[in-house]
Amino acid sequence: MKRVLMGAMLASFLPMVASAADMPRSDVKAHCQQIASATGSSSNMLYNSCIDMEQSAYNNLKGQWSSLPGNVRSHCQDVASVTGPGSYFLLESCVDMEVSAGSSRSEFSFG
């Protein structure tokens, strides 16, 4: 009985492990609605611009996501969800900055 229960528990975790490198899912509509309503009234122009930026960022990230280092993916997911629903635009910006910073680390000297 214990083996069956342990097997079932392990099997339930496999999809999470297999999808660790999958793109995160963000609620783009909710995020863009927050942006469009930031001034107190809802702006269709801001909403549409936000949707376009989010779609572009998602499209740019989806091909490279699984090849990014795990620490960059994890850190940038945290950054991108700071607004609540998540943002692919923030995710892409974070990834770009982290990858760039990782290739040219700053040095400190007592000179």
Side-chain angles (χ1 to χ4, degrees):
M1 182 67 171
K2 278 187 176 178
R3 281 187 167 172
V4 172
L5 186 57
M6 288 296 279
M9 286 175 54
L10 245 144
S12 70
F13 287 112
L14 286 178
M16 287 189 269
V17 173
S19 66
D22 289 347
M23 282 282 290
R25 292 285 184 196
S26 295
D27 189 346
V28 173
K29 289 180 180 180
H31 169 72
C32 289
Q33 191 56 52
Q34 281 182 343
I35 299 298
S37 301
T39 61
S41 63
S42 187
S43 166
N44 290 326
M45 187 267 311
L46 287 176
Y47 181 84
N48 290 341
S49 294
C50 177
I51 291 289
D52 292 344
M53 287 173 37
E54 292 294 319
Q55 185 67 62
S56 177
Y58 175 83
N59 292 344
N60 291 339
L61 281 171
K62 69 181 175 183
Q64 65 175 321
W65 185 254
S66 62
S67 65
L68 292 170
N71 63 325
V72 170
R73 289 193 312 253
S74 177
H75 169 70
C76 289
Q77 283 180 30
D78 290 343
V79 169
S81 61
V82 76
T83 62
S87 166
Y88 292 112
F89 180 77
L90 291 176
L91 185 62
E92 180 186 36
S93 298
C94 178
V95 165
D96 289 348
M97 288 186 279
E98 285 294 329
V99 168
S100 176
S103 64
S104 61
R105 292 186 64 124
S106 298
E107 296 291 328
F108 177 83
S109 71
F110 287 101

